[in-house]
mmCIF file of all heavy atoms in Angstrom:
data_model
loop_
_atom_site.group_PDB
_atom_site.id
_atom_site.type_symbol
_atom_site.label_atom_id
_atom_site.label_comp_id
_atom_site.label_asym_id
_atom_site.label_seq_id
_atom_site.Cartn_x
_atom_site.Cartn_y
_atom_site.Cartn_z
ATOM 1 N N ASP A 187 -14.660 21.951 10.851
ATOM 2 C CA ASP A 187 -15.953 22.178 11.529
ATOM 3 C C ASP A 187 -15.698 23.122 12.710
ATOM 4 O O ASP A 187 -15.109 22.729 13.726
ATOM 5 C CB ASP A 187 -16.472 20.801 12.010
ATOM 6 C CG ASP A 187 -17.681 20.914 12.933
ATOM 7 O OD1 ASP A 187 -18.070 22.036 13.287
ATOM 8 O OD2 ASP A 187 -18.212 19.852 13.302
ATOM 9 N N PRO A 188 -16.121 24.410 12.587
ATOM 10 C CA PRO A 188 -15.770 25.400 13.616
ATOM 11 C C PRO A 188 -16.356 25.066 14.986
ATOM 12 O O PRO A 188 -15.748 25.400 16.013
ATOM 13 C CB PRO A 188 -16.351 26.709 13.074
ATOM 14 C CG PRO A 188 -17.332 26.337 12.017
ATOM 15 C CD PRO A 188 -16.931 24.997 11.492
ATOM 16 N N VAL A 189 -17.501 24.418 15.009
ATOM 17 C CA VAL A 189 -18.131 24.099 16.296
ATOM 18 C C VAL A 189 -17.311 23.012 17.004
ATOM 19 O O VAL A 189 -16.960 23.131 18.189
ATOM 20 C CB VAL A 189 -19.598 23.633 16.083
ATOM 21 C CG1 VAL A 189 -20.237 23.264 17.401
ATOM 22 C CG2 VAL A 189 -20.382 24.711 15.354
ATOM 23 N N GLN A 190 -16.968 21.982 16.254
ATOM 24 C CA GLN A 190 -16.189 20.896 16.859
ATOM 25 C C GLN A 190 -14.779 21.381 17.241
ATOM 26 O O GLN A 190 -14.207 20.907 18.220
ATOM 27 C CB GLN A 190 -16.132 19.694 15.901
ATOM 28 C CG GLN A 190 -15.700 18.391 16.550
ATOM 29 C CD GLN A 190 -16.699 17.865 17.582
ATOM 30 O OE1 GLN A 190 -17.454 18.628 18.185
ATOM 31 N NE2 GLN A 190 -16.695 16.576 17.813
ATOM 32 N N ALA A 191 -14.246 22.341 16.487
ATOM 33 C CA ALA A 191 -12.913 22.877 16.802
ATOM 34 C C ALA A 191 -12.917 23.505 18.196
ATOM 35 O O ALA A 191 -11.957 23.369 18.962
ATOM 36 C CB ALA A 191 -12.489 23.901 15.754
ATOM 37 N N LYS A 192 -13.995 24.184 18.543
ATOM 38 C CA LYS A 192 -14.112 24.786 19.881
ATOM 39 C C LYS A 192 -14.118 23.686 20.936
ATOM 40 O O LYS A 192 -13.473 23.782 21.983
ATOM 41 C CB LYS A 192 -15.418 25.597 19.985
ATOM 42 C CG LYS A 192 -15.296 26.983 19.412
ATOM 43 C CD LYS A 192 -14.715 27.939 20.470
ATOM 44 C CE LYS A 192 -13.948 29.059 19.816
ATOM 45 N NZ LYS A 192 -12.699 29.431 20.410
ATOM 46 N N PHE A 193 -14.873 22.622 20.645
ATOM 47 C CA PHE A 193 -14.927 21.507 21.587
ATOM 48 C C PHE A 193 -13.544 20.870 21.748
ATOM 49 O O PHE A 193 -13.134 20.523 22.864
ATOM 50 C CB PHE A 193 -15.951 20.457 21.112
ATOM 51 C CG PHE A 193 -15.862 19.177 21.867
ATOM 52 C CD1 PHE A 193 -16.367 19.073 23.162
ATOM 53 C CD2 PHE A 193 -15.218 18.072 21.314
ATOM 54 C CE1 PHE A 193 -16.239 17.884 23.875
ATOM 55 C CE2 PHE A 193 -15.089 16.891 22.027
ATOM 56 C CZ PHE A 193 -15.612 16.801 23.311
ATOM 57 N N PHE A 194 -12.813 20.722 20.622
ATOM 58 C CA PHE A 194 -11.476 20.102 20.675
ATOM 59 C C PHE A 194 -10.557 20.874 21.626
ATOM 60 O O PHE A 194 -9.694 20.288 22.280
ATOM 61 C CB PHE A 194 -10.843 20.020 19.282
ATOM 62 C CG PHE A 194 -11.452 18.972 18.375
ATOM 63 C CD1 PHE A 194 -11.294 19.045 16.986
ATOM 64 C CD2 PHE A 194 -12.161 17.896 18.894
ATOM 65 C CE1 PHE A 194 -11.848 18.087 16.148
ATOM 66 C CE2 PHE A 194 -12.719 16.925 18.062
ATOM 67 C CZ PHE A 194 -12.566 17.021 16.684
ATOM 68 N N GLU A 195 -10.721 22.194 21.706
ATOM 69 C CA GLU A 195 -9.880 22.995 22.622
ATOM 70 C C GLU A 195 -10.055 22.506 24.054
ATOM 71 O O GLU A 195 -9.084 22.222 24.749
ATOM 72 C CB GLU A 195 -10.276 24.472 22.563
ATOM 73 C CG GLU A 195 -9.667 25.203 21.421
ATOM 74 C CD GLU A 195 -9.895 26.711 21.496
ATOM 75 O OE1 GLU A 195 -10.047 27.260 22.608
ATOM 76 O OE2 GLU A 195 -9.907 27.334 20.422
ATOM 77 N N ARG A 196 -11.318 22.401 24.464
ATOM 78 C CA ARG A 196 -11.584 21.980 25.853
ATOM 79 C C ARG A 196 -11.137 20.530 26.056
ATOM 80 O O ARG A 196 -10.502 20.183 27.049
ATOM 81 C CB ARG A 196 -13.089 22.083 26.161
ATOM 82 C CG ARG A 196 -13.634 23.482 26.097
ATOM 83 C CD ARG A 196 -15.000 23.557 26.785
ATOM 84 N NE ARG A 196 -15.987 22.674 26.179
ATOM 85 C CZ ARG A 196 -16.700 22.968 25.086
ATOM 86 N NH1 ARG A 196 -16.510 24.109 24.465
ATOM 87 N NH2 ARG A 196 -17.602 22.129 24.614
ATOM 88 N N TYR A 197 -11.459 19.705 25.077
ATOM 89 C CA TYR A 197 -11.166 18.274 25.183
ATOM 90 C C TYR A 197 -9.647 18.014 25.278
ATOM 91 O O TYR A 197 -9.173 17.302 26.163
ATOM 92 C CB TYR A 197 -11.766 17.564 23.964
ATOM 93 C CG TYR A 197 -11.442 16.100 23.857
ATOM 94 C CD1 TYR A 197 -11.841 15.197 24.841
ATOM 95 C CD2 TYR A 197 -10.725 15.601 22.764
ATOM 96 C CE1 TYR A 197 -11.537 13.846 24.742
ATOM 97 C CE2 TYR A 197 -10.431 14.260 22.657
ATOM 98 C CZ TYR A 197 -10.835 13.390 23.638
ATOM 99 O OH TYR A 197 -10.528 12.059 23.538
ATOM 100 N N LEU A 198 -8.892 18.662 24.388
ATOM 101 C CA LEU A 198 -7.449 18.391 24.372
ATOM 102 C C LEU A 198 -6.749 19.014 25.584
ATOM 103 O O LEU A 198 -5.766 18.453 26.081
ATOM 104 C CB LEU A 198 -6.820 18.863 23.050
ATOM 105 C CG LEU A 198 -5.416 18.335 22.755
ATOM 106 C CD1 LEU A 198 -5.332 16.810 22.841
ATOM 107 C CD2 LEU A 198 -4.927 18.769 21.370
ATOM 108 N N ASP A 199 -7.273 20.129 26.079
ATOM 109 C CA ASP A 199 -6.735 20.709 27.316
ATOM 110 C C ASP A 199 -6.864 19.704 28.459
ATOM 111 O O ASP A 199 -5.938 19.508 29.248
ATOM 112 C CB ASP A 199 -7.473 21.999 27.678
ATOM 113 C CG ASP A 199 -6.780 23.228 27.104
ATOM 114 O OD1 ASP A 199 -5.569 23.150 26.820
ATOM 115 O OD2 ASP A 199 -7.459 24.257 26.915
ATOM 116 N N GLU A 200 -8.030 19.090 28.520
ATOM 117 C CA GLU A 200 -8.296 18.087 29.576
ATOM 118 C C GLU A 200 -7.308 16.916 29.477
ATOM 119 O O GLU A 200 -6.688 16.515 30.455
ATOM 120 C CB GLU A 200 -9.686 17.515 29.330
ATOM 121 C CG GLU A 200 -10.646 17.517 30.486
ATOM 122 C CD GLU A 200 -12.008 17.097 29.955
ATOM 123 O OE1 GLU A 200 -12.186 15.900 29.694
ATOM 124 O OE2 GLU A 200 -12.862 17.990 29.762
ATOM 125 N N VAL A 201 -7.169 16.409 28.254
ATOM 126 C CA VAL A 201 -6.284 15.255 27.999
ATOM 127 C C VAL A 201 -4.843 15.607 28.378
ATOM 128 O O VAL A 201 -4.147 14.857 29.059
ATOM 129 C CB VAL A 201 -6.361 14.849 26.502
ATOM 130 C CG1 VAL A 201 -5.273 13.866 26.127
ATOM 131 C CG2 VAL A 201 -7.740 14.288 26.166
ATOM 132 N N ARG A 202 -4.423 16.784 27.929
ATOM 133 C CA ARG A 202 -3.053 17.264 28.140
ATOM 134 C C ARG A 202 -2.773 17.433 29.633
ATOM 135 O O ARG A 202 -1.752 16.970 30.140
ATOM 136 C CB ARG A 202 -2.933 18.609 27.419
ATOM 137 C CG ARG A 202 -1.565 19.126 27.119
ATOM 138 C CD ARG A 202 -1.676 20.326 26.162
ATOM 139 N NE ARG A 202 -2.591 21.373 26.641
ATOM 140 C CZ ARG A 202 -2.240 22.370 27.442
ATOM 141 N NH1 ARG A 202 -1.016 22.453 27.885
ATOM 142 N NH2 ARG A 202 -3.129 23.280 27.812
ATOM 143 N N LYS A 203 -3.711 18.078 30.333
ATOM 144 C CA LYS A 203 -3.488 18.346 31.755
ATOM 145 C C LYS A 203 -3.508 17.060 32.567
ATOM 146 O O LYS A 203 -2.930 16.992 33.648
ATOM 147 C CB LYS A 203 -4.521 19.348 32.274
ATOM 148 C CG LYS A 203 -4.202 20.757 31.770
ATOM 149 C CD LYS A 203 -5.258 21.760 32.180
ATOM 150 C CE LYS A 203 -4.979 23.121 31.535
ATOM 151 N NZ LYS A 203 -6.148 24.004 31.583
ATOM 152 N N ALA A 204 -4.173 16.039 32.040
ATOM 153 C CA ALA A 204 -4.190 14.742 32.728
ATOM 154 C C ALA A 204 -2.906 13.951 32.454
ATOM 155 O O ALA A 204 -2.772 12.801 32.871
ATOM 156 C CB ALA A 204 -5.409 13.948 32.276
ATOM 157 N N GLY A 205 -1.954 14.535 31.708
ATOM 158 C CA GLY A 205 -0.685 13.846 31.414
ATOM 159 C C GLY A 205 -0.878 12.736 30.402
ATOM 160 O O GLY A 205 -0.121 11.758 30.382
ATOM 161 N N SER A 206 -1.880 12.892 29.540
ATOM 162 C CA SER A 206 -2.177 11.827 28.590
ATOM 163 C C SER A 206 -2.084 12.364 27.157
ATOM 164 O O SER A 206 -1.547 13.447 26.915
ATOM 165 C CB SER A 206 -3.581 11.293 28.893
ATOM 166 O OG SER A 206 -3.856 10.172 28.100
ATOM 167 N N SER A 207 -2.595 11.597 26.209
ATOM 168 C CA SER A 207 -2.557 11.996 24.804
ATOM 169 C C SER A 207 -3.725 11.320 24.102
ATOM 170 O O SER A 207 -4.387 10.458 24.688
ATOM 171 C CB SER A 207 -1.232 11.567 24.165
ATOM 172 O OG SER A 207 -1.141 10.154 24.167
#
Side-chain angles (χ1 to χ4, degrees):
D187 170 355
V189 178
Q190 196 66 334
K192 277 275 151 222
F193 168 76
F194 287 160
E195 278 189 28
R196 296 196 300 278
Y197 175 62
L198 195 53
D199 268 337
E200 232 172 75
V201 168
R202 198 169 53 87
K203 286 176 186 164
S206 186
S207 64

